[in-house]
Amino acid sequence: MTDPNIAYTGRWDLGSATAAVPNWTGGYLQTAFTGTTVKIKAREAVNFYASVDGGADVFYAGVRGTVNLTPTPLPQGNHTLRVSYRSGDTVFQGLVLDSGAGTVAPRVPSGLIEFVGDSITAGALTDRLALDSYGWKTGEQLGMRHTQIARSGYCLVGKGGCVGLASQFFKTASTGDQNWDFSRYQASAVVINLGTNDIGHGVTGTEFQSAYTTLLRDIRAKYPNAALFAVQTLKKRYVAETKAAVSARNGAGDAKVSYVDTSGWLTDGTDYEDGNGAWSGSSPS
């Protein structure tokens, strides 16, 4: 698990010498390797996607044990691998390579974007979940690493039984109280898309604006150099409050916080399905 040639993107638990566990959604690992075959070790039944040599993400459903990712051997030489876990026992326990083969440091982009939000950001109900989300697609198109600190049904403000990302963002996982170690990586940008669900949990405009302003302030404390983007929800909820939160941070001297107006981008029912982030047209630009 500590092989320096395995690059983990996202909030992974690497505290064990025999298992690496991704938290939140859209976390993935990358490596390069020599030889002609690669197998991945799984503990119990798990669903994941694997891409070899930049090819299509192949879905492995309910597999366990040592899973062969190259049933047709590859040509001799250096190859690349990316693995993203979907559900089940999402525990990475290592790779099996040819005799005499080894891992090689992968080429990974230096920039990283975190996408913060609810079901739309998480890609809930799309065919491939995180891999079909706008965050994953945007990161891929920009040639940057990308993570999704998002979960279906989550809010900005923790109220009325809704988990609030104003506090949960700073945790290792989407549930639990373990604080994330922000020294593990620094985001180049953070894109926040919150407010769609808050209205159904009785969050007032004043509460929303205050929580958003505080979230932007607290994220800045963790990522001193990141560009922060507050996205207007596609449903146009808490628009004035989101703008006011950005203005408050700009007024406090933080010039790298921006409001993103989504007016005219997409039409509900035509270009996307509300609540699941499914794009029916071309990939978003």
Side-chain angles (χ1 to χ4, degrees):
M1 300 308 101
T2 58
D3 184 337
N5 292 329
I6 299 177
Y8 298 94
T9 297
R11 298 187 182 181
W12 286 74
D13 181 353
L14 302 176
S16 168
T18 59
V21 182
N23 292 297
W24 293 96
T25 186
Y28 56 93
L29 65 89
Q30 293 171 280
T31 192
F33 62 94
T34 60
T36 63
T37 65
V38 60
K39 302 178 180 69
I40 191 170
K41 295 170 68 175
R43 189 174 62 183
E44 298 294 340
V46 64
N47 305 306
F48 66 86
Y49 294 93
S51 169
V52 176
D53 287 341
D57 291 283
V58 177
F59 184 46
Y60 294 84
V63 293
R64 68 181 71 207
T66 302
V67 183
N68 188 1
L69 306 181
T70 50
T72 300
L74 305 168
Q76 283 285 355
N78 285 12
H79 302 281
T80 63
L81 172 67
R82 181 179 69 187
V83 176
S84 174
Y85 286 92
R86 174 175 175 140
S87 58
D89 189 48
T90 54
V91 176
F92 171 63
Q93 292 197 307
L95 302 172
V96 177
L97 304 176
D98 294 344
S99 176
T103 58
V104 179
R107 294 181 179 179
V108 297
S110 58
L112 183 148
I113 311 177
E114 279 192 332
F115 294 86
V116 184
D118 47 45
S119 60
I120 294 175
T121 302
L125 302 184
T126 63
D127 290 342
R128 302 185 305 165
L129 300 183
L131 274 66
D132 276 341
S133 69
Y134 74 86
W136 184 284
K137 292 183 177 182
T138 300
E140 290 292 290
Q141 289 182 18
L142 292 176
M144 298 179 71
R145 291 176 294 152
H146 41 84
T147 68
Q148 289 144 273
I149 311 303
R151 184 162 174 170
S152 182
Y154 276 21
C155 299
L156 169 67
V157 180
K159 184 177 180 181
C162 192
V163 175
L165 277 162
S167 57
Q168 199 63 35
F169 171 84
F170 302 94
K171 305 302 179 182
T172 296
S174 59
T175 59
D177 296 325
Q178 180 180 350
N179 292 325
W180 171 244
D181 178 5
F182 282 87
S183 69
R184 292 270 296 276
Y185 64 79
Q186 283 286 295
S188 307
V190 181
V191 179
I192 305 167
N193 188 344
L194 286 168
T196 297
N197 296 324
D198 290 76
I199 201 165
H201 293 272
V203 177
T204 67
T206 300
E207 290 173 319
F208 189 88
Q209 181 177 325
S210 175
Y212 215 133
T213 304
T214 300
L215 175 63
L216 292 171
R217 181 201 68 192
D218 292 347
I219 291 177
R220 170 61 67 225
K222 300 300 184 181
Y223 297 139
N225 300 312
L228 309 184
F229 298 95
V231 177
Q232 174 185 277
T233 65
L234 298 176
K235 281 292 189 181
K236 310 298 188 291
R237 292 171 178 166
Y238 300 104
V239 174
E241 292 81 4
T242 303
K243 287 182 177 179
V246 171
S247 295
R249 291 302 303 150
N250 292 157
D254 192 342
K256 297 184 72 174
V257 181
S258 303
Y259 173 76
V260 181
D261 189 339
T262 61
S263 298
W265 280 16
L266 300 167
T267 301
D268 186 5
T270 301
D271 301 309
Y272 76 101
E273 299 174 27
D274 181 47
N276 69 20
W279 301 90
S280 60
S282 60
S283 296
S285 60

